[in-house]
Amino acid sequence: MGSLPYAADAESPLKPAELQVLRAQYEKEGPYISLQTKFNYSWGLIKSSSRPDQQEGVLLLSDIFKTSPERRRECLYYLALGNYKLGNYAEARRYNDSLLELESGNLQAQSLGQLIDEKVSREGMVGMAIVGGVAAAVAVGVGMLVRGAQRKR
Amino acid sequence: MTGRGRSTSPRRQPGHSRQASNDDNISDTRQIEAFGRTVQATASQLIFPGNDQHGTDPYKSALTSVQRQLRRPLIQRSVFSFTQQSPRELLRGKFSTSEVEHRALSYIPQELIRTAPAGQSPFSLFEGFKASLPDTEDDGRGGRRKRHGRNGSKLLEGPQEHKGPPQLVKMKRERDKLDHRLEMMGIRKTMCASEIREIDTKIANMNTMRRVVLERLAGLEQEEHDMEVEIGDLAERVAEMQEMLEDEEALAKQSPSLIAEGEAERRAADKKLETEEDDEEAEADMDASFMSESIYGKLPKAQESPRSKAKRRMPKRTISMPVLHEHMEPGTKIRELQAHNDVITAMDFDAPFGTLVTAALDDTVRVWDLNAGRCMGMLEGHLSSVRCLQVEENLVATGSMDASIRLWDLGQADYNPAQAAASNNITDKSSEAEDAEADKGSDAALFTPAASVADLASQPPPQGDAMADCHLFTLSAHVAEITALNFRGNTLVSGSADKTLRQWDLEKGRCIQTLDVLWAAAQAQTTTVNTSAAATPASESGGWWKSGAGRLRGSAEAAEQAEADFVGAVQVFDAALACGTADGMVRLWDLRSGQVHRSLVGHTGPVTSLQFDDVFLVTGSRDRSIRIWDLRTGTIHDAFAYDQPISSMQFDARRIVAAAGEDVVKVYDKADGRQWDCGAGVLAATAETTSRPSVVERVRIKDGYLVEGRRDGVVGVWSC
């Protein structure tokens, strides 16, 4: 497999004019679209910063995955990257792990795996902190209620 | 406390997370629900301590129970999954409809992922992306670059005197850029090549699918045909029953004493009907028992009842249309029959996979079932060989060298496919083996094996009396051989060597009109302004027939048995008649007036075949050409030249086929304007076998179903 993009590459959006060119190419080809055009457009969409565009990019990529068996391994990587950007870490991890199972020596896939872990734990931490804080507040509030009820008795 | 539970686990066992996440998608929700239930239980215990039995320490017991729950591995796994998914993602996945939709649409099953093959292309899609992207930038700049260049050059010209190296640097940069672009082109080319390979594999898969479905279609058509036969039988039986009942009623009206007799006989007949198989003898018995002499004489419909002798009507495809041949590759062989042992002189069929009638120089006329590939019978009656024939649904008209035209109704034929099949079974195996070797296409397996040469010799004469009742009537008013005929509706027009055309009414069986071609030709010549024709009208009209014959006698082609027929071809449509004659003229007659209203000049040899539709008239002649005339203007629309004289031609909606003295049929596709060859000679040419198939004499086409008759008596059926 040729060179794959690092995750940082997916974070840099294209200029809107460039994206428009890709979109025009995609629409011009009609029903007999070539693989490269489709990929170009979907990658451009994934790189963009708007969420609907990213989602559409992932949709197109999954389409490419289903229709061309030859390109499936690469698509796993792109899909993992796209889902990572979208925040669907479970899916991203699923694709990335499958890719590592098939090709364990893939550097980009390994680095992506680490990134996903970091992101998840960080978000998880944040989420846990929030939930923990909320639970603590609820527990305190409930405790106060109980004590108040006991005192009333 | 729930927070405490959560905060401890990830710190304790970070390693488990990766293993556990793989298969916890299903156990996720269940365990989370269970967890949630325990949380609810503990919360309710906390808030309503009064319900508790233990009294003193509901809080502690609740905590211990929660901790016990947490220690369970499944719960831990589900909690780990929380860490994998991140709460924000979870919420999004469960509650946002667009998110759920998106996930459903882009879902890829694990199977596909696991079986992803290693990519064989040297460049990844991303590299292709990079390769194509700079181009877009360059293209945008490319147009402007020239302007830049112009401006730049102006700018450069100014400081050129004291800034040499920057210009060199700039040029080097441009060269590098172009080198880079060249590399990118290489990458894009490789991407396209790999795409093409993928598409090729897909096409191969589609072709196999197409073959499978085509076979299915063939099976269905066969079933359809069998079902139609059954329906025909049952309809007959119903009609018979009804007739019997009606006769019974008629009898009842006449004399009540005979009712009892009739009833008794009918009961006997019914019993016989119930027990009988599809057997002719049983039906003959029934006739004898039902219609005894006394009743027979008194039946009011006595004239019609003899006809009600059970006849197996030939199944006609009224509902189902065979379309199998339309889906085959053009040029595939459907069947090959050794119809006769001599040159095929005339041939026609009514519908694809229907009935074919062939006539040859051996003075026989045979009727064939194209669906099964079997001879159904022979039409006997002519004293000499048949030169022309036409088949239109059940009606066959044959014109022979004995100057008579006979009309036959194939619906009266006594063809029993079951019996024919039984007699053919012996030879089936041998012919199957032959066909397996001979046929190259995979379509060979679709059809019942064709009757080969061996069949003709070994099988018994196919029910010699099968067609005995077919003959309707004979039209005999011509005095010389009939060379061309055509009928439509109730009008039949025939051309003969006695230099006349006769129009017949098929209902009455009488000749309505006689058109003298020579007289009409003379008329036309004296009235036209054409000086060359008017010069010697008498010698022209007398001489051109002789010269035509002389030309042929002098030719070295002794094998050509058919001489130039005076009337080579006719076609009639309502009151319009077109005929092609040996002088190369095509004359359009109005049957109401009996005059030629237009002559089409162009052919330099006798016209052998002719056909018109509402726009064009196509003629083939011995001058080796086919001409297409526009009927509205009367001028030539198109013409094709061949190497040999055209002996037969026909067209359908899409193509014009011609027999041009070769072992292949020449096909002209009107849609693409393409000329190609169809037939046995094509395969022989490529296979380079020593025995070439013989020259095609006659062709017939209908909806892409092509039938050709050859000089050695073989009839080939092809999809065109």
Side-chain angles (χ1 to χ4, degrees), chain A residues 3 18 34-36 40 43 51 55 68 70-71 73-74 78 88-90 93-94 117 120 123 131, chain B residues 18 83-84 86 89 99 102 108 110 116 121 123-129 132 137 191 195 198:
Chain A
S3 73
E18 292 170 358
S34 96
L35 191 61
Q36 189 60 52
N40 290 353
W43 188 245
R51 197 181 164 77
Q55 283 186 327
S68 42
E70 259 207 16
R71 297 286 183 178
R73 287 203 185 173
E74 304 179 55
Y78 302 125
N88 303 339
Y89 300 113
R93 177 170 296 288
R94 183 162 78 105
D117 283 342
V120 168
E123 284 203 6
V131 173
Chain B
R18 239 160 246 135
T83 69
Q84 291 324 302
S86 101
E89 180 191 355
E99 193 62 38
H102 177 255
I108 294 178
Q110 194 62 25
S121 43
F123 297 112
S124 72
L125 283 171
F126 182 65
E127 284 172 341
F129 173 80
S132 5
E137 296 175 353
M191 305 294 290
E195 244 194 279
E198 268 206 37

Side-chain angles (χ1 to χ4, degrees), chain B residues 485-657:
Chain B
L485 67 80
N486 186 270
F487 68 87
R488 195 188 158 94
N490 273 332
T491 315
L492 183 146
V493 175
S494 60
S496 139
D498 62 6
K499 308 192 183 72
T500 60
L501 296 163
R502 280 182 193 266
Q503 181 191 355
W504 310 80
D505 183 332
L506 289 176
E507 255 180 274
K508 302 175 202 148
R510 285 204 297 264
C511 173
I512 300 177
Q513 221 187 140
T514 308
L515 307 166
D516 189 340
V517 184
L518 284 177
W519 179 81
Q523 290 284 310
Q525 283 171 350
T526 49
T527 51
T528 52
V529 194
N530 200 342
T531 49
S532 56
T536 48
S539 60
E540 272 281 344
S541 58
W544 101 131
W545 168 230
K546 282 187 206 141
S547 64
R551 211 182 327 160
L552 271 155
R553 267 186 246 123
S555 74
E557 293 156 355
E560 286 287 326
Q561 303 193 3
E563 302 130 352
D565 301 321
F566 185 79
V567 178
V570 291
Q571 184 174 346
V572 65
F573 184 89
D574 283 352
L577 169 73
C579 79
T581 47
D583 57 353
M585 298 267 281
V586 179
R587 293 189 174 83
L588 307 177
W589 304 72
D590 184 343
L591 286 172
R592 291 166 293 207
S593 63
Q595 305 288 330
V596 177
H597 67 85
R598 189 178 271 168
S599 300
L600 304 173
V601 187
H603 278 298
T604 53
V607 176
T608 50
S609 47
L610 177 155
Q611 186 180 346
F612 62 81
D613 61 5
D614 43 1
V615 186
F616 292 116
L617 182 138
V618 185
T619 54
S621 101
R622 284 189 187 281
D623 67 355
R624 305 185 200 141
S625 71
I626 284 185
R627 285 171 200 261
I628 305 177
W629 311 79
D630 188 329
L631 280 173
R632 289 165 295 187
T633 61
T635 55
I636 287 197
H637 171 81
D638 206 350
F640 308 112
Y642 297 92
D643 300 325
Q644 300 282 327
I646 314 278
S647 51
S648 171
M649 179 279 312
Q650 199 182 25
F651 67 82
D652 70 353
R654 224 184 104 182
R655 353 167 154 70
I656 304 178
V657 294

Side-chain angles (χ1 to χ4, degrees), chain B residues 311-629:
Chain B
K311 286 212 194 293
R312 190 129 295 113
R313 309 247 180 263
M314 295 222 304
K316 279 298 151 196
R317 285 178 180 270
T318 45
I319 310 158
S320 62
M321 261 314 287
V323 294
L324 186 55
H325 57 284
E326 286 172 23
H327 298 284
M328 294 195 270
E329 287 290 311
T332 17
K333 168 149 68 165
I334 298 177
R335 195 174 286 288
E336 208 167 74
L337 309 164
Q338 178 74 42
H340 296 266
N341 286 324
D342 213 338
V343 182
I344 303 238
T345 49
M347 187 178 76
D348 199 8
F349 68 100
D350 62 343
F353 297 103
T355 323
L356 170 77
V357 181
T358 58
L361 274 186
D362 58 1
D363 297 358
T364 55
V365 181
R366 284 182 193 265
V367 184
W368 302 84
D369 178 357
L370 282 171
N371 192 43
R374 280 190 284 266
C375 178
M376 293 197 284
M378 298 179 30
L379 298 174
E380 286 162 354
H382 274 295
L383 305 169
S384 177
S385 61
V386 169
R387 291 296 311 280
C388 50
L389 66 91
Q390 185 182 348
V391 180
E392 226 30 77
E393 286 183 21
N394 264 340
L395 203 55
V396 181
T398 53
S400 109
M401 294 184 67
D402 64 2
S404 70
I405 302 170
R406 280 172 190 257
L407 260 99
W408 317 78
D409 179 9
L410 291 177
Q412 307 289 329
D414 225 355
Y415 175 54
N416 192 337
Q419 278 194 7
S423 67
N424 268 338
N425 274 340
I426 323 155
T427 49
D428 265 356
K429 285 177 195 154
S430 59
S431 60
E432 255 190 74
E434 283 177 41
D435 281 337
E437 292 164 24
D439 293 343
K440 288 173 192 170
S442 58
D443 299 309
L446 293 172
F447 302 99
T448 56
S452 55
V453 183
D455 273 334
L456 200 64
S458 59
Q459 80 185 28
Q463 305 132 319
D465 57 348
M467 305 274 157
D469 304 318
C470 288
H471 176 66
L472 287 176
F473 45 82
T474 312
L475 309 167
S476 44
H478 278 291
V479 295
E481 63 206 43
I482 316 257
T483 52
L485 67 80
N486 186 270
F487 68 87
R488 195 188 158 94
N490 273 332
T491 315
L492 183 146
V493 175
S494 60
S496 139
D498 62 6
K499 308 192 183 72
T500 60
L501 296 163
R502 280 182 193 266
Q503 181 191 355
W504 310 80
D505 183 332
L506 289 176
E507 255 180 274
K508 302 175 202 148
R510 285 204 297 264
C511 173
I512 300 177
Q513 221 187 140
T514 308
L515 307 166
D516 189 340
V517 184
L518 284 177
W519 179 81
Q523 290 284 310
Q525 283 171 350
T526 49
T527 51
T528 52
V529 194
N530 200 342
T531 49
S532 56
T536 48
S539 60
E540 272 281 344
S541 58
W544 101 131
W545 168 230
K546 282 187 206 141
S547 64
R551 211 182 327 160
L552 271 155
R553 267 186 246 123
S555 74
E557 293 156 355
E560 286 287 326
Q561 303 193 3
E563 302 130 352
D565 301 321
F566 185 79
V567 178
V570 291
Q571 184 174 346
V572 65
F573 184 89
D574 283 352
L577 169 73
C579 79
T581 47
D583 57 353
M585 298 267 281
V586 179
R587 293 189 174 83
L588 307 177
W589 304 72
D590 184 343
L591 286 172
R592 291 166 293 207
S593 63
Q595 305 288 330
V596 177
H597 67 85
R598 189 178 271 168
S599 300
L600 304 173
V601 187
H603 278 298
T604 53
V607 176
T608 50
S609 47
L610 177 155
Q611 186 180 346
F612 62 81
D613 61 5
D614 43 1
V615 186
F616 292 116
L617 182 138
V618 185
T619 54
S621 101
R622 284 189 187 281
D623 67 355
R624 305 185 200 141
S625 71
I626 284 185
R627 285 171 200 261
I628 305 177
W629 311 79

